[in-house]
Amino acid sequence: MVKNYLKIAIRSLMKHKVYAFLNIFGLTIGITCSLLIFLYVQDEVTYDSNHSQSENIYRVSCEYFLPNDGGAEKWAVASDVVAQFFVKDYPEIEASVRFKKNQNVVVERPNSNNRFYENIVYADSNVFELFDFPLLAGDENLALQQPNTAVISQEVAEKYFGKRDVIGETLSLPDNNLQVQITGILAPIPSNTHLQFDFLVSFETLRAANRVNTSWWSFGTHTYLKVTPGTDPVELEEKIKRISANYILQQETGSGYRQEYFLTALGDIHLKSNYRSEFEANGNESYVYIFSSVGLFILIIACINFMNLSTARSVSRAKEVGLRKVVGAHRKHLISQFLSESIFMAFVALLLSVGLILLALPILNTFTDKGMTFNPIENPALGLTLFGITFFVGILSGSYPALVLSSFKPTQTLKGSFKTSGKGTVLRKGLVIVQFLISIGLIISTLVVFSQLSHMRDLELGFEKERMIFIPTRFGAGTTETFAVLKDKLEQFPEINGASLSSRVPGKELGNNVVRLGWDQNADWSDMRFLAVDYDFLKVYDLELVAGRGFDESFGTDVNEGFILNEAGVNRLGFESAEAAIGEQLGWQNKQGRVIGVLKDFYFMSVQNAVEPFIMPMSGTRAPGYLSVRVESSNFRNVINRIESTFLEVMPNRIFEYSFLDEDFDRQYTAEEKFSSVFTFFAIIAIVIACLGLYGLAAFTAQQKIKEIGIRKVLGATEAGVVLLLSKDFIKLVLVSFIIAAPAAYFLMESWLKDFAERVRVGASVFLIAAGISIFIAVATVSYQSVKAALTNPIKALRHE
């Protein structure tokens, strides 16, 4: 019988090619999209699982409480020295490993022109005991034990030496006055681990150079602890929470600041940690849930689409069912037949899906910066998952058509008087409502996401970012003097309308420091961001003063005694107004000065968060971080060439690099833009599949009402009236779907938007547009079948009556 079932299935597919194509196409796209989403979600939720001891590794994070109930900040880093106290004081902590990042360090190969900027990571020598970062060459136990030793990736070895066998070679870090010997070659690091690096230097190098910061208040090191198996992390976290009180309680009491430490499981860091100074930009747990839901919805829509299309063909197969029953087929045999057909089509769709996945996965990897792989042969678990999903889809998709077709009465079907039941009609309409409920929800969500991204891009930032170039100084030795010379030279160019040196530029995270109201050393501190600038910064960035003045060379005291606050800073310090703050005494680091101006709040960092309080001192002798250059000419290429030649003239031994401020600032939206693009793509796929189901139901309805249409036309009904007759029922279904979907989508989008400090309001226009799009899609989908039925010659419909 199985052979017969397959033979009939193939014959049926060949006979009804259009329906077969729509069925298989819908399932193929549904399975493909669902599996791509499954691979993405699997990659996200298995971050850092490649480390064999991952279940016993935790990262130490610090919650930093500000004085006077000023709130708290969570940091993913701690001080350089805190790790040793965890191991010493708590026996359940077996070991610790520290990672300290040093970004954009000049590295050069001695006696060659090979010099590049690298992101250096300093690590303890036992890093390879806790983490599975295998070496292709070198001894894991000895590679980072000595000062001035390093392990590098194969790519770095090729870049500097043109070969991979470089054990014993040396590289120089001139800005740090270091020379390191290569003692190991790193194997490629999996893409789904948050610890990504190409250049590891021993932590002993910092110790030997006397660069280990012993202050508990200097947060700059990512610290990981390995605990004894079976240790309760909640109990351990409670123990270590106030470890700082054992060593710096007097400092905490005197300053009003307090540290509390907590643990983050290694596997939770990527999706559940979004603190300051993360090792890398982490993922978003809510996006994983959203994409998982979308993948499931697409699969459900594909199955519903299959059901509706199969049901639409039920009338044409009614006589086949009747004949089989007459010759002795039982209902269970018919159910087996039709389930076999649906499972067969599901596996055909799976084979096509595998091909599509192999084509689409490299594109998805490029877009998401991942290294996902798809090889069900080498990965039996994946193969079994695919088989199970496909079999489930086949059963789910074919269950209702099988039950309906097997229930036909042979006496009715063979006489041609078969009619579908009212229950079947209700169920089919219910399935369409489910399809469009999901589709409308996705349409509304897509509109809100697009609206939020547009709002963020178009938001008035409070500073001028267009036509601005910035050059990083890398804080190297002598940068203050040399970049001051470069700035003076560039300002002579007619194409340049100003330049400024500052510690940061918009889009870069500002540092933190404490500000004291008044000059009393015992006064309370307030934690604020700081931005060190020169005289020209306010003018170059077109910042607006709401009170006071900017830095002015005619006031000699501004360099050491002048401070500018933003409006949020005025509020943080408790001033009644911006005007009231002018002239007030402030202490910052080792400076004592006065407020000379107040800036209107502007989004210096991310528009996703509220504007934070900051203080703006003059940089003075502090090494600048960036040189900002405002360009007036439209010929950027020529201007950049002139800037580069001048840069190399002033600093012939440095590497010239630059960025456009608007492009760099807008990179903060990258995650949201990618989310929007992927979400929109899958939403369109879901809508297309839903339309296939609606098309099938329209075809079924038109076939069921062919005699009714014939009678109506004989009695004088117009083609337009017939089209309206057939379309209005589907429009009603869409409206019912909209009524259910709209409030659900509203609450989901409100939940998503709550994470944005500046956000759009989900107004009525979004729902009106979504309703219009949905009705248009529905009408466009059913119009072909409606018009085709309306134009049918009534004689052909009635002569079989």
Side-chain angles (χ1 to χ4, degrees):
M1 293 303 295
V2 173
K3 180 180 178 181
N4 178 260
Y5 294 160
L6 291 176
K7 183 187 295 185
I8 297 300
I10 294 172
R11 285 179 181 175
S12 179
L13 293 177
M14 296 303 295
K15 183 177 179 181
H16 305 279
K17 295 183 177 62
V18 173
Y19 281 106
F21 169 77
L22 293 177
N23 252 331
I24 295 176
F25 176 77
L27 277 179
T28 300
I29 298 301
I31 293 173
T32 301
C33 292
S34 300
L35 288 177
L36 286 174
I37 291 174
F38 168 78
L39 292 173
Y40 170 82
V41 170
Q42 183 187 47
D43 185 85
E44 288 285 290
V45 300
T46 57
Y47 247 72
D48 293 302
S49 61
N50 59 298
H51 303 292
S52 58
Q53 303 182 75
S54 61
E55 292 185 358
N56 298 315
I57 298 176
Y58 295 85
R59 187 193 65 195
V60 175
S61 302
C62 181
E63 189 164 13
Y64 184 60
F65 290 86
L66 309 180
N68 303 321
D69 296 324
E73 297 175 342
K74 289 186 177 181
W75 291 71
V77 289
S79 73
D80 289 358
V81 297
V82 70
Q84 60 184 310
F85 298 108
F86 284 115
V87 177
K88 178 174 72 72
D89 294 350
Y90 305 99
E92 53 266 72
I93 299 177
E94 296 181 355
S96 66
V97 169
R98 295 168 294 178
F99 294 94
K100 190 178 183 69
K101 298 178 74 173
N102 191 0
Q103 295 181 310
N104 300 306
V105 177
V106 175
V107 178
E108 62 184 15
R109 178 186 174 187
N111 305 317
S112 77
N113 293 323
N114 291 352
R115 57 202 321 264
F116 305 93
Y117 283 116
E118 301 289 355
N119 293 327
I120 304 295
V121 177
Y122 295 92
D124 284 313
S125 59
N126 62 337
V127 60
F128 303 111
E129 296 177 16
L130 267 69
F131 297 96
D132 295 346
F133 295 124
L135 297 183
L136 298 175
D139 189 332
E140 294 178 353
N141 299 318
L142 303 175
L144 296 178
Q145 278 196 351
Q146 300 300 319
N148 303 324
T149 54
V151 297
I152 61 176
S153 67
Q154 294 174 306
E155 291 73 16
V156 171
E158 289 277 4
K159 183 164 61 175
Y160 286 93
F161 300 97
K163 58 181 182 179
R164 297 183 177 182
D165 183 16
V166 294
I167 299 295
E169 300 282 358
T170 59
L171 289 171
S172 296
L173 285 63
D175 288 346
N176 294 344
N177 296 318
L178 293 175
Q179 194 169 57
V180 295
Q181 184 179 42
I182 299 171
T183 54
I185 302 298
L186 283 164
I189 296 176
S191 63
N192 63 338
T193 177
H194 79 283
L195 294 168
Q196 296 286 340
F197 42 76
D198 291 309
F199 209 122
L200 274 183
V201 180
S202 67
F203 213 92
E204 290 300 314
T205 305
L206 294 176
R207 194 186 308 280
N210 200 27
R211 292 179 181 171
V212 175
N213 196 321
T214 59
S215 170
W216 279 67
W217 302 100
S218 178
F219 297 145
T221 301
H222 294 83
T223 304
Y224 296 81
L225 306 176
K226 180 193 174 187
V227 303
T228 304
T231 299
D232 186 341
V234 176
E235 291 183 6
L236 179 59
E237 189 174 64
E238 188 61 32
K239 288 181 181 180
I240 70 170
K241 182 177 181 179
R242 289 289 292 133
I243 187 175
S244 60
N246 299 333
Y247 297 95
I248 57 168
L249 181 60
Q250 187 174 353
Q251 294 179 33
E252 290 185 323
T253 304
S255 66
Y257 288 85
R258 187 176 83 256
Q259 298 179 15
E260 291 187 1
Y261 290 87
F262 60 96
L263 302 175
T264 305
L266 184 64
D268 291 341
I269 291 174
H270 179 66
L271 291 179
K272 298 182 180 180
S273 175
N274 188 23
Y275 311 136
R276 291 188 57 182
S277 296
E278 292 285 351
F279 198 90
E280 68 167 13
N282 286 333
N284 190 316
E285 189 175 21
S286 65
Y287 289 174
V288 171
Y289 289 131
I290 290 171
F291 284 128
S292 298
S293 301
V294 170
L296 180 61
F297 288 154
I298 289 176
L299 200 57
I300 291 172
I301 290 175
C303 292
I304 293 174
N305 167 66
F306 184 99
M307 291 181 188
N308 279 334
L309 288 171
S310 297
T311 306
R313 290 177 50 211
S314 61
V315 175
S316 65
R317 301 195 68 178
K319 290 185 179 180
E320 175 194 341
V321 172
L323 186 59
R324 283 181 176 272
K325 284 192 171 185
V326 167
V327 296
H330 294 288
R331 188 178 185 190
K332 64 180 181 179
H333 298 140
L334 294 169
I335 292 174
S336 298
Q337 176 192 347
F338 294 118
L339 284 179
S340 299
E341 288 186 16
S342 64
I343 293 171
F344 172 73
M345 282 194 281
F347 275 95
V348 171
L350 174 64
L351 293 176
L352 296 173
S353 297
V354 169
L356 287 178
I357 291 171
L358 293 175
L359 291 174
L361 195 58
I363 300 172
L364 185 61
N365 278 334
T366 301
F367 188 75
T368 58
D369 297 323
K370 290 185 174 294
M372 296 178 288
T373 58
F374 179 76
N375 193 330
I377 297 176
E378 293 183 1
N379 187 346
L382 178 60
L384 288 174
T385 301
L386 291 178
F387 181 86
I389 290 175
T390 306
F391 188 80
F392 173 75
V393 167
I395 295 292
L396 180 65
S397 302
S399 57
Y400 173 65
L403 292 173
V404 171
L405 290 169
S406 64
S407 66
F408 292 168
K409 295 180 179 180
T411 55
Q412 292 179 340
T413 56
L414 293 177
K415 288 193 302 181
S417 59
F418 163 73
K419 293 184 179 179
T420 56
S421 67
K423 292 181 179 179
T425 302
V426 171
L427 181 56
R428 284 191 297 277
K429 290 182 177 179
L431 293 175
V432 171
I433 289 174
V434 172
Q435 282 187 311
F436 269 83
L437 187 155
I438 295 171
S439 301
I440 292 169
L442 293 174
I443 291 171
I444 294 172
S445 301
T446 302
L447 292 173
V448 173
V449 170
F450 268 112
S451 180
Q452 176 63 22
L453 283 176
S454 297
H455 175 72
M456 286 162 51
R457 292 192 197 98
D458 300 337
L459 188 67
E460 181 58 47
L461 300 174
F463 68 91
E464 185 58 54
K465 69 172 181 176
E466 306 299 329
R467 313 179 74 81
M468 186 79 77
I469 296 170
F470 67 87
I471 304 168
T473 68
R474 304 304 180 199
F475 295 103
T479 55
T480 303
E481 296 79 11
T482 52
F483 272 88
V485 172
L486 176 63
K487 175 193 169 187
D488 291 339
K489 287 181 175 289
L490 295 181
E491 286 179 326
Q492 306 306 314
F493 295 173
E495 307 97 326
I496 292 175
N497 187 25
S500 174
L501 289 164
S502 57
S503 58
R504 291 288 187 270
V505 293
K508 307 296 183 185
E509 185 172 3
L510 296 180
N512 273 62
N513 219 306
V514 291
V515 178
R516 181 182 287 112
L517 186 59
W519 294 349
D520 183 359
Q521 295 295 322
N522 297 318
D524 291 333
W525 294 349
S526 293
D527 191 82
M528 297 174 69
R529 303 280 189 170
F530 74 91
L531 172 65
V533 302
D534 65 6
Y535 289 109
D536 300 314
F537 189 85
L538 270 63
K539 180 185 69 175
V540 169
Y541 279 96
D542 196 21
L543 300 179
E544 180 182 345
L545 284 162
V546 295
R549 61 176 178 82
F551 295 117
D552 192 332
E553 290 182 88
S554 61
F555 292 86
T557 57
D558 280 2
V559 173
N560 294 311
E561 300 177 13
F563 296 118
I564 295 176
L565 302 173
N566 67 346
E567 292 174 306
V570 169
N571 294 332
R572 168 64 63 84
L573 294 174
F575 295 116
E576 294 182 359
S577 65
E579 290 75 13
I582 302 301
E584 292 295 323
Q585 298 174 341
L586 292 182
W588 178 75
Q589 291 190 346
N590 59 346
K591 288 185 177 183
Q592 292 183 340
R594 298 178 185 275
V595 179
I596 65 170
V598 176
L599 287 169
K600 183 178 180 180
D601 281 342
F602 64 99
Y603 289 93
F604 197 91
M605 294 189 293
S606 171
V607 300
Q608 297 167 330
N609 303 315
V611 176
E612 296 187 47
F614 80 79
I615 184 171
M616 184 182 286
M618 286 204 66
S619 53
T621 57
R622 178 189 297 270
Y626 298 90
L627 172 62
S628 303
V629 181
R630 176 166 298 288
V631 178
E632 286 301 313
S633 172
S634 59
N635 193 339
F636 274 89
R637 176 47 53 195
N638 287 343
V639 176
I640 290 170
N641 289 339
R642 290 196 65 186
I643 293 174
E644 180 178 11
S645 61
T646 307
F647 178 95
L648 296 176
E649 176 187 326
V650 176
M651 291 168 278
N653 294 322
R654 296 294 297 270
I655 303 171
F656 176 72
E657 53 182 336
Y658 71 94
S659 297
F660 292 102
L661 183 67
D662 54 353
E663 294 178 356
D664 188 80
F665 191 86
D666 290 346
R667 287 194 185 100
Q668 62 184 297
Y669 315 133
T670 299
E672 283 71 27
E673 288 177 341
K674 286 184 176 180
F675 168 74
S676 173
S677 299
V678 175
F679 187 86
T680 303
F681 173 77
F682 287 121
I684 292 172
I685 292 296
I687 293 167
V688 169
I689 297 175
C691 289
L692 293 177
L694 191 62
Y695 177 87
L697 189 57
F700 176 80
T701 302
Q703 191 172 13
Q704 288 288 91
K705 293 189 176 184
I706 192 68
K707 294 187 177 74
E708 177 187 345
I709 293 170
I711 294 172
R712 286 180 178 274
K713 292 190 70 175
V714 167
L715 296 176
T718 63
E719 283 82 359
V722 172
V723 170
L724 180 61
L725 172 71
L726 293 176
S727 301
K728 66 179 181 180
D729 289 338
F730 298 110
I731 295 174
K732 289 178 183 177
L733 296 180
V734 172
L735 291 176
V736 171
S737 301
F738 177 81
I739 292 170
I740 300 172
Y746 173 81
F747 287 114
L748 287 173
M749 285 295 98
E750 281 290 319
S751 177
W752 180 70
L753 288 169
K754 71 180 181 181
D755 293 331
F756 297 91
E758 287 289 342
R759 45 153 294 181
V760 295
R761 300 297 167 202
V762 184
S765 60
V766 171
F767 297 99
L768 291 175
I769 294 171
I773 292 174
S774 305
I775 292 173
F776 173 79
I777 290 172
V779 171
T781 303
V782 303
S783 60
Y784 171 75
Q785 290 292 347
S786 299
V787 172
K788 180 181 176 183
L791 296 176
T792 302
N793 189 334
I795 296 174
K796 293 182 179 180
L798 296 176
R799 69 183 178 185
H800 299 293
E801 186 63 48

